[in-house]
Amino acid sequence: METNGLDCHDNRGECMLLYMKDRNQSEQIRSEPLCSLKESAPPKLCNGSTEEWNSMNGCGKSDSENEKSESKEEKVDEESVENKKETSVEESEGKVESPEDVYYVHDAGLTIKIVSPGAEPFEIQVSSSEIVQELHQLLMEREDTCHRTCFSLQLDGVILDNFSELKSVAGLKDGSVIKLVEEQYTCREARIHVKHVRDLLKPSDWADAYGGTECASLSFLNAVSGGDLSGKKRVVDCTPPDCIMPGTSNSLLLTQIHPQNKEQKPISCLKVLAASGWNPPPGHRKLHGDLMYLLIVTLEDKTCHITASPRGFYLNRSTMEVFDPLPAHTNNFLSHSLIELLNQISPAFRKSFAQLQKRRMSRHPFERVATPYQVYSWVSPTIPHHMDAIRAEEAFSSKLGYEEHIPGQTRDWNEELQSTRELPRSTLPERLLRERAIFKVHSDFVSAATRGAVAVIDGNIMAINPGESHKMQMFIWSNIFFSLGFDVRDHYKELGGDAAAHVAPRNDLQGVAAYSTIDLEGLYTLGTVVVDYRGYRVTAQSIIPGILEREQDQSVVYGSIDFGKTVVTNKKYLELLKKAGPRLKVFPHYVLNEKDEMVELCSSVECKGIIGNDGRHYILDLLRTFPPDVNFLKDLDIELTEDVREMGYPLEHPHKLCCLRQELVDAFVESRYMTFIKVAAYHLQKFGFKAQVLEEPKSEVPTEDLQKSENESQLDGETKEIDDEAVGSPIKTVEFVENITKSPEKGEESNTLTAIRNASNSVCSLSATEFDLRFNPDVFSPSVKHAEPEEVVEVIPKSEGSKDEGDEKPTEVQRTKKYPSIATQIRLNREACDYLLLLQIPTFVRDITASNGSTFFGPNALLMDGASFSVAMHMRGINIRYLGRIVHLLLEKEQLSEGESRIVVLPTQNGLNNGNASATTSVGENLPHFMTTIAIMELISRSAKHIFNPYIQVHNVDVMNQSLAISHFLNCMFMVGSPVVPPAYSDELFPASRPRGPRNKSRQNKGKYPIANGSSTGTEWTQLTAATLWEQIKKDISSYYGFTFPENVEDSLDTILQTYGIQRISLLRSFCLKTGIQVMLKEYQFNRGASSAKSTNTFNQEDILNVFPIVKHIDPKASDAYTFLATAQNKMAAGFFREGYELLSEALNLLNNVYGAMHPDIALCLRSLARLNYVMGEHADAMAYQQKALFMAERLLGVDHPITILEYTHLSLYCFANNQVTTALKLLYRARYLSLLVCGENHPHVALLDSNIGLILHAVGEYELSLKFLEKALELNKKYFGGRSLKTAVGHHLVARTQSCIGDFRSALMNERETYSIYKEQLGDKHEKTQEASDCLQHLTQQAVVLQRKINDMAHGKGLPPIQIQPPSMGSVLDMLNLINGILFMQISQQDIENFKAELELRAREMSPNQQQSK
């Protein structure tokens, strides 16, 4: 959507940055939550209004919410203010910002009246800091002015400058009247207007979302809940779908993943809207003002030819055969807007357009706002393809690669990316402006790079080296450089060939992300996007100015272009990289060049430094930023520890570019740092310096623990977890390090240095006199010659605390230190790899299989599928190649805990289970731990992707047979019960049936039906079978992940799936998400056994609808917002809900300023606000916030993402608290369905869902249904939490209560006795829960006696009266729901809370003077 204000763009991007700066200056940080239009510019909506944008950001929800916002604006708690001051620390300056820098006085909100031609005047609220351009955009999105694009805004006859702030407009005040004045069109403005009208006339269907275009994505919350969560409906319909009932997961229906909306039928306004064939206007008509001609065919089949002129649009006299551009005789309907013209000439258009606008405005704004990155769906119904001439013109016009708002010009992506990073960042508002600009440009770059990568593979871009083979070709499109992931010119021959070339872009992207996070001023990285599409890996990078004008060896001033054979260095690069080195744990090291000269580097030799023509210092090829992983470098002569060798390491990997993750390096260094402190403290105590260790007795380190720590830390590979409590608080730890590293007294010098040397040696520090753990990334590079100087001079900045009072800046000091030997560097690297294998991975496995059954791994992670499992591994610094080791440990844990009999092969029940696993109903007895199921499913799907990528490439599969080849691969992978029918060619260019005749005649006609380009090339894929595919998958799992399945289950994929409880539908979802395949939304019969009347394949080529790109890129962060968010979480954990609420609102404000309307982190913040509102008793506000969080999760992550399931679960609780019982049940049914689709019933989160469902069904009197869900929940709780856990006790109680309601008192008594037994064992006899269980037992016993008497009376001829059941109150049900969902309310009076806070404040004031004296 373009406006007049964008004419200033040029190919250098400078005007764009000026525009972004002006735009963002109006969106500076405020000190209250984002709750009105005046606080941020509205995002791009189809036809949004001010009121909608207010509702998107929490304004106008309730009077109580507005009152809370006003009270927060008037007064902020002192402790919260103090906390905010602490969080606004400027890192680059090393000082705390003043309050004036952090808190800006709110700009006065203005209410202005807009007068528009043909519409009633209306009022809007704006902020005086907004620019006029934002007002333009708002009016183009408002319902009654959306059809206007070419206009100016005038105040008292003076045209307002688009880039001026409203507060700078002379005469503008509250109540001012601004007129919308129609301006004359130019050719460009006319084209913009036509495109805008075409966007407005798009049917309100799902075509863009299913097609993965226009940043549209799916959301089904309204379809699931039946409309807005207004609370007006009181009809309780609680019947669950049959396919989600407990024990029926094998009959799961895929089609319910996308519930049908009642208003899905598209609304058509016109039959044809196209550029006329009479374009362009001839010269003599240009002199009359003709800009362009349009062809319109209305719903009444009336053909109209329309002229666009400077004054507007009118009907002309042309026909399809005759060109007559003069205005029509009777009435030319001259209108400034094309919509107004169409309303006059077509009554059907007027009616349909009004309906379309009404439908669009009825949708929630979060359903319409564009997402920052494109989200794709792995399933889709058949979407009808409508004729759209404007769309066709856009697809095939000559502007391919040009931005729509800069006609004829390409964007200089490198200049834009680097210029945004050069924006000032000394104050919080400047950082917000800078981070917003970085995020906006980055998201645009990712979108352009993705389009370019798809165009490269589709053959729409010509290579810059067309004479080379296909794998060696490179491309430039829209100022972006594209290369394929193949080993060109044997560059990676010694590192693994194509396998190394395929993984190098991913490693490079991780290096780019690391340096971007550091954000060092003066050091620049390239914009990098890695795209996997149709089996190819494409790397898209911004172009360094001038790099194409000279040879590579002339450009590189730092690093090596031949993996270390020739090496050069540069003083400026060393200075910059040494600043980044400590953060990345990169050690400055020395290598020998081709002349045997010693060269210093502070990165790997592959890292290249190039000074562009713009004078910037760029670094690229960061594929070895982090230490190499010796566990996968088999050819090296490195002696690993015995424990590691017993595991089978080192393993031979397909490539030699295996590196450790940054998270692992940080965790390893932190662990060794704590060990260093303990060992040094122990030796100082040993030498009689106990007073120097820690002042307080409680923080002293026991001698036995230190001795044990010292002994264990000297082993190869640290295997002991460090307890922070043994050393004391982090502040005291820092003070201790400063004390022992300062120059001691002469008498104490030898003992102190000895303690430090012992501690340094125990942790393999590179320095004998201090803690120094940094890694040499070239330590195992085969072509690098290492140099070992005896001493080196290190230049370090003098710390601020040690500056003289008169110094203005920190000075640099030089010191001479001994250079560590290569053997020491190798030892350190090896110990980091040992730490990963011996501590990090076992700890990870222990945590994910803990008896507490926790499925959460971090603030935004619910482990339910392979993607979330991989994220959890990465959070711990574990590479995906260790997935085989994790599966091995999980299976070992299964066998040790339950015995080998636990994992058995489940029989297939005559194909009735549709090929899915879990054929039995007893989940707890037959299936392994849910983490084992998820890990093995991820292992199989990743290896299948490795096989699929080369399988589907163009040189293997002809382009015309892509869908057939993909369907054949899916059949070989997923079909069971009958052999896969070989693919039959159905060439669309030839008849389906060949002419019959003699056999020799058929042979003569054989050449008339070519398979691929007239030859048999590209038909190898047809030889794939289910058996050969499984063999390839097993081979890849063994070679890539180092894992082999047990012999008794490795015969076939079907056996593996049944043994480990993996559903085929879940595996299909995982595989499609990894490869980008989109399949048709229908029911697939995977088991084609005896039940199938005809032997047919599960998938056919019509089931393959599309293949989408899989995009990897860095994720720019809003640094200040995360500081507020982390502080808010700490406040809430400490019980300061009010302060936490204010900080969360502040974080939401910052996130909206940086990211706009939609981002996963905004969803996380909204979820936290919803939970906090719920805890504080604001149930309506909690539901409103959670609804927004759920919309974002569906739109940004996917409708079946685990986080989406979590959001559904939370929203159902808040709906029930607002007396919306039916909606709560629908949301829970949806969450259970998605859980069954993603991972099946064998998951503890399903137990939580079933407990919620059963409890609510019990509340509405559906006892039979309730009992089924509660029994399933109890079964899962016993499995994952233990038979004697408190969760199991609650489950027994719920089941007993439901059984008593249906008259089964015998079973109820048994379950309640279990509850009483568990409470008595866990909590004691006198605990209130134990007493409640005892009372319940007595009540049930009395009820059972009464029932027995009535039965006896019936035996004597008396009738049996109905059982009297007292339904529970909604309050008691809500209390039990809170308990199940982990929300506990402490019964504390307000006076107790105030006393507690006062005591904490008193303690804080008492501690402050002591801390100041110690400092």
Side-chain angles (χ1 to χ4, degrees), residues 521-545:
E521 189 173 355
L523 189 63
Y524 299 88
T525 57
L526 301 182
T528 306
V529 177
V530 179
V531 181
D532 293 327
Y533 178 63
R534 281 170 48 183
Y536 292 93
R537 170 157 288 183
V538 183
T539 305
Q541 293 176 306
S542 59
I543 301 174
I544 299 176

mmCIF file of all heavy atoms in Angstrom, residues 521-545:
data_model
loop_
_atom_site.group_PDB
_atom_site.id
_atom_site.type_symbol
_atom_site.label_atom_id
_atom_site.label_comp_id
_atom_site.label_asym_id
_atom_site.label_seq_id
_atom_site.Cartn_x
_atom_site.Cartn_y
_atom_site.Cartn_z
ATOM 1 N N GLU A 521 30.104 -1.774 17.573
ATOM 2 C CA GLU A 521 30.148 -0.615 16.677
ATOM 3 C C GLU A 521 31.411 -0.662 15.824
ATOM 4 O O GLU A 521 32.515 -0.847 16.329
ATOM 5 C CB GLU A 521 30.109 0.670 17.502
ATOM 6 C CG GLU A 521 29.938 1.927 16.677
ATOM 7 C CD GLU A 521 29.726 3.161 17.528
ATOM 8 O OE1 GLU A 521 29.625 3.004 18.771
ATOM 9 O OE2 GLU A 521 29.665 4.264 16.963
ATOM 10 N N GLY A 522 31.239 -0.490 14.521
ATOM 11 C CA GLY A 522 32.367 -0.491 13.590
ATOM 12 C C GLY A 522 32.608 -1.818 12.908
ATOM 13 O O GLY A 522 33.396 -1.884 11.954
ATOM 14 N N LEU A 523 31.978 -2.894 13.363
ATOM 15 C CA LEU A 523 32.141 -4.216 12.764
ATOM 16 C C LEU A 523 30.819 -4.616 12.137
ATOM 17 O O LEU A 523 29.780 -4.615 12.801
ATOM 18 C CB LEU A 523 32.565 -5.235 13.822
ATOM 19 C CG LEU A 523 32.983 -6.621 13.322
ATOM 20 C CD1 LEU A 523 34.225 -6.517 12.445
ATOM 21 C CD2 LEU A 523 33.234 -7.558 14.493
ATOM 22 N N TYR A 524 30.832 -4.997 10.873
ATOM 23 C CA TYR A 524 29.611 -5.212 10.121
ATOM 24 C C TYR A 524 29.548 -6.641 9.594
ATOM 25 O O TYR A 524 30.560 -7.213 9.177
ATOM 26 C CB TYR A 524 29.517 -4.237 8.938
ATOM 27 C CG TYR A 524 29.483 -2.782 9.360
ATOM 28 C CD1 TYR A 524 30.670 -2.072 9.540
ATOM 29 C CD2 TYR A 524 28.286 -2.130 9.605
ATOM 30 C CE1 TYR A 524 30.659 -0.746 9.936
ATOM 31 C CE2 TYR A 524 28.265 -0.798 9.999
ATOM 32 C CZ TYR A 524 29.446 -0.118 10.164
ATOM 33 O OH TYR A 524 29.421 1.200 10.555
ATOM 34 N N THR A 525 28.360 -7.206 9.636
ATOM 35 C CA THR A 525 28.107 -8.522 9.043
ATOM 36 C C THR A 525 27.115 -8.357 7.902
ATOM 37 O O THR A 525 26.397 -7.349 7.815
ATOM 38 C CB THR A 525 27.526 -9.495 10.078
ATOM 39 O OG1 THR A 525 26.329 -8.929 10.635
ATOM 40 C CG2 THR A 525 28.534 -9.754 11.197
ATOM 41 N N LEU A 526 27.070 -9.357 7.042
ATOM 42 C CA LEU A 526 26.175 -9.303 5.890
ATOM 43 C C LEU A 526 24.777 -9.768 6.295
ATOM 44 O O LEU A 526 24.614 -10.632 7.166
ATOM 45 C CB LEU A 526 26.697 -10.194 4.763
ATOM 46 C CG LEU A 526 28.088 -9.869 4.220
ATOM 47 C CD1 LEU A 526 28.436 -10.807 3.072
ATOM 48 C CD2 LEU A 526 28.157 -8.431 3.750
ATOM 49 N N GLY A 527 23.773 -9.183 5.653
ATOM 50 C CA GLY A 527 22.439 -9.735 5.779
ATOM 51 C C GLY A 527 22.421 -11.126 5.176
ATOM 52 O O GLY A 527 22.805 -11.310 4.014
ATOM 53 N N THR A 528 22.018 -12.118 5.956
ATOM 54 C CA THR A 528 22.123 -13.514 5.540
ATOM 55 C C THR A 528 20.801 -14.234 5.788
ATOM 56 O O THR A 528 20.229 -14.132 6.873
ATOM 57 C CB THR A 528 23.242 -14.241 6.299
ATOM 58 O OG1 THR A 528 24.463 -13.510 6.142
ATOM 59 C CG2 THR A 528 23.432 -15.657 5.787
ATOM 60 N N VAL A 529 20.335 -14.946 4.772
ATOM 61 C CA VAL A 529 19.134 -15.776 4.871
ATOM 62 C C VAL A 529 19.435 -17.105 4.187
ATOM 63 O O VAL A 529 19.992 -17.124 3.082
ATOM 64 C CB VAL A 529 17.907 -15.104 4.212
ATOM 65 C CG1 VAL A 529 16.692 -16.019 4.273
ATOM 66 C CG2 VAL A 529 17.601 -13.773 4.868
ATOM 67 N N VAL A 530 19.106 -18.203 4.837
ATOM 68 C CA VAL A 530 19.307 -19.541 4.279
ATOM 69 C C VAL A 530 17.934 -20.123 3.975
ATOM 70 O O VAL A 530 17.071 -20.206 4.864
ATOM 71 C CB VAL A 530 20.074 -20.445 5.258
ATOM 72 C CG1 VAL A 530 20.252 -21.840 4.671
ATOM 73 C CG2 VAL A 530 21.443 -19.836 5.576
ATOM 74 N N VAL A 531 17.721 -20.521 2.730
ATOM 75 C CA VAL A 531 16.420 -20.999 2.262
ATOM 76 C C VAL A 531 16.580 -22.414 1.719
ATOM 77 O O VAL A 531 17.438 -22.663 0.862
ATOM 78 C CB VAL A 531 15.843 -20.071 1.169
ATOM 79 C CG1 VAL A 531 14.476 -20.566 0.707
ATOM 80 C CG2 VAL A 531 15.745 -18.641 1.686
ATOM 81 N N ASP A 532 15.769 -23.337 2.238
ATOM 82 C CA ASP A 532 15.681 -24.700 1.706
ATOM 83 C C ASP A 532 14.394 -24.812 0.914
ATOM 84 O O ASP A 532 13.293 -24.621 1.465
ATOM 85 C CB ASP A 532 15.695 -25.724 2.841
ATOM 86 C CG ASP A 532 17.023 -25.764 3.573
ATOM 87 O OD1 ASP A 532 18.061 -25.538 2.915
ATOM 88 O OD2 ASP A 532 17.032 -26.002 4.794
ATOM 89 N N TYR A 533 14.528 -25.150 -0.372
ATOM 90 C CA TYR A 533 13.363 -25.169 -1.253
ATOM 91 C C TYR A 533 13.546 -26.234 -2.320
ATOM 92 O O TYR A 533 14.564 -26.250 -3.026
ATOM 93 C CB TYR A 533 13.170 -23.792 -1.898
ATOM 94 C CG TYR A 533 12.020 -23.700 -2.874
ATOM 95 C CD1 TYR A 533 10.708 -23.896 -2.443
ATOM 96 C CD2 TYR A 533 12.242 -23.414 -4.217
ATOM 97 C CE1 TYR A 533 9.655 -23.804 -3.333
ATOM 98 C CE2 TYR A 533 11.191 -23.306 -5.109
ATOM 99 C CZ TYR A 533 9.892 -23.511 -4.674
ATOM 100 O OH TYR A 533 8.847 -23.424 -5.559
ATOM 101 N N ARG A 534 12.592 -27.155 -2.362
ATOM 102 C CA ARG A 534 12.570 -28.227 -3.365
ATOM 103 C C ARG A 534 13.887 -28.987 -3.409
ATOM 104 O O ARG A 534 14.426 -29.310 -4.473
ATOM 105 C CB ARG A 534 12.212 -27.666 -4.740
ATOM 106 C CG ARG A 534 10.723 -27.419 -4.910
ATOM 107 C CD ARG A 534 10.387 -26.662 -6.151
ATOM 108 N NE ARG A 534 11.049 -27.199 -7.332
ATOM 109 C CZ ARG A 534 10.967 -26.667 -8.547
ATOM 110 N NH1 ARG A 534 10.245 -25.572 -8.714
ATOM 111 N NH2 ARG A 534 11.591 -27.197 -9.565
ATOM 112 N N GLY A 535 14.437 -29.280 -2.233
ATOM 113 C CA GLY A 535 15.643 -30.084 -2.151
ATOM 114 C C GLY A 535 16.933 -29.305 -2.230
ATOM 115 O O GLY A 535 18.005 -29.871 -2.011
ATOM 116 N N TYR A 536 16.882 -28.026 -2.517
ATOM 117 C CA TYR A 536 18.078 -27.198 -2.663
ATOM 118 C C TYR A 536 18.235 -26.291 -1.442
ATOM 119 O O TYR A 536 17.248 -25.879 -0.833
ATOM 120 C CB TYR A 536 18.004 -26.329 -3.927
ATOM 121 C CG TYR A 536 18.075 -27.105 -5.215
ATOM 122 C CD1 TYR A 536 16.919 -27.527 -5.857
ATOM 123 C CD2 TYR A 536 19.297 -27.423 -5.800
ATOM 124 C CE1 TYR A 536 16.977 -28.234 -7.045
ATOM 125 C CE2 TYR A 536 19.366 -28.131 -6.980
ATOM 126 C CZ TYR A 536 18.203 -28.541 -7.609
ATOM 127 O OH TYR A 536 18.273 -29.243 -8.784
ATOM 128 N N ARG A 537 19.470 -25.984 -1.152
ATOM 129 C CA ARG A 537 19.769 -24.973 -0.128
ATOM 130 C C ARG A 537 20.342 -23.747 -0.824
ATOM 131 O O ARG A 537 21.361 -23.835 -1.517
ATOM 132 C CB ARG A 537 20.751 -25.497 0.911
ATOM 133 C CG ARG A 537 21.278 -24.436 1.861
ATOM 134 C CD ARG A 537 21.767 -25.015 3.156
ATOM 135 N NE ARG A 537 20.637 -25.475 3.988
ATOM 136 C CZ ARG A 537 20.773 -25.981 5.209
ATOM 137 N NH1 ARG A 537 21.975 -26.105 5.746
ATOM 138 N NH2 ARG A 537 19.720 -26.364 5.892
ATOM 139 N N VAL A 538 19.691 -22.625 -0.637
ATOM 140 C CA VAL A 538 20.085 -21.372 -1.273
ATOM 141 C C VAL A 538 20.479 -20.397 -0.165
ATOM 142 O O VAL A 538 19.738 -20.201 0.799
ATOM 143 C CB VAL A 538 18.943 -20.780 -2.119
ATOM 144 C CG1 VAL A 538 19.409 -19.523 -2.828
ATOM 145 C CG2 VAL A 538 18.440 -21.806 -3.130
ATOM 146 N N THR A 539 21.650 -19.790 -0.323
ATOM 147 C CA THR A 539 22.116 -18.772 0.619
ATOM 148 C C THR A 539 21.958 -17.404 -0.027
ATOM 149 O O THR A 539 22.470 -17.173 -1.133
ATOM 150 C CB THR A 539 23.584 -18.994 0.998
ATOM 151 O OG1 THR A 539 23.749 -20.322 1.496
ATOM 152 C CG2 THR A 539 24.018 -18.014 2.063
ATOM 153 N N ALA A 540 21.239 -16.533 0.650
ATOM 154 C CA ALA A 540 21.025 -15.175 0.161
ATOM 155 C C ALA A 540 21.784 -14.208 1.066
ATOM 156 O O ALA A 540 21.637 -14.258 2.288
ATOM 157 C CB ALA A 540 19.543 -14.832 0.151
ATOM 158 N N GLN A 541 22.607 -13.355 0.453
ATOM 159 C CA GLN A 541 23.409 -12.414 1.215
ATOM 160 C C GLN A 541 23.361 -11.044 0.575
ATOM 161 O O GLN A 541 23.260 -10.916 -0.656
ATOM 162 C CB GLN A 541 24.876 -12.880 1.305
ATOM 163 C CG GLN A 541 25.075 -14.150 2.115
ATOM 164 C CD GLN A 541 26.520 -14.614 2.085
ATOM 165 O OE1 GLN A 541 27.096 -14.799 1.021
ATOM 166 N NE2 GLN A 541 27.100 -14.813 3.264
ATOM 167 N N SER A 542 23.429 -10.021 1.420
ATOM 168 C CA SER A 542 23.578 -8.674 0.884
ATOM 169 C C SER A 542 24.981 -8.528 0.287
ATOM 170 O O SER A 542 25.895 -9.282 0.622
ATOM 171 C CB SER A 542 23.338 -7.639 1.990
ATOM 172 O OG SER A 542 24.256 -7.823 3.058
ATOM 173 N N ILE A 543 25.144 -7.574 -0.582
ATOM 174 C CA ILE A 543 26.370 -7.444 -1.371
ATOM 175 C C ILE A 543 27.225 -6.309 -0.814
ATOM 176 O O ILE A 543 26.751 -5.170 -0.647
ATOM 177 C CB ILE A 543 26.033 -7.186 -2.854
ATOM 178 C CG1 ILE A 543 25.181 -8.334 -3.404
ATOM 179 C CG2 ILE A 543 27.303 -7.021 -3.676
ATOM 180 C CD1 ILE A 543 24.688 -8.104 -4.811
ATOM 181 N N ILE A 544 28.480 -6.621 -0.534
ATOM 182 C CA ILE A 544 29.419 -5.600 -0.067
ATOM 183 C C ILE A 544 29.716 -4.641 -1.213
ATOM 184 O O ILE A 544 30.022 -5.077 -2.325
ATOM 185 C CB ILE A 544 30.724 -6.254 0.431
ATOM 186 C CG1 ILE A 544 30.432 -7.187 1.607
ATOM 187 C CG2 ILE A 544 31.744 -5.204 0.831
ATOM 188 C CD1 ILE A 544 31.652 -7.935 2.095
ATOM 189 N N PRO A 545 29.634 -3.348 -0.986
ATOM 190 C CA PRO A 545 29.908 -2.392 -2.063
ATOM 191 C C PRO A 545 31.312 -2.578 -2.637
ATOM 192 O O PRO A 545 32.303 -2.569 -1.907
ATOM 193 C CB PRO A 545 29.759 -1.031 -1.373
ATOM 194 C CG PRO A 545 28.884 -1.286 -0.203
ATOM 195 C CD PRO A 545 29.203 -2.670 0.252
#
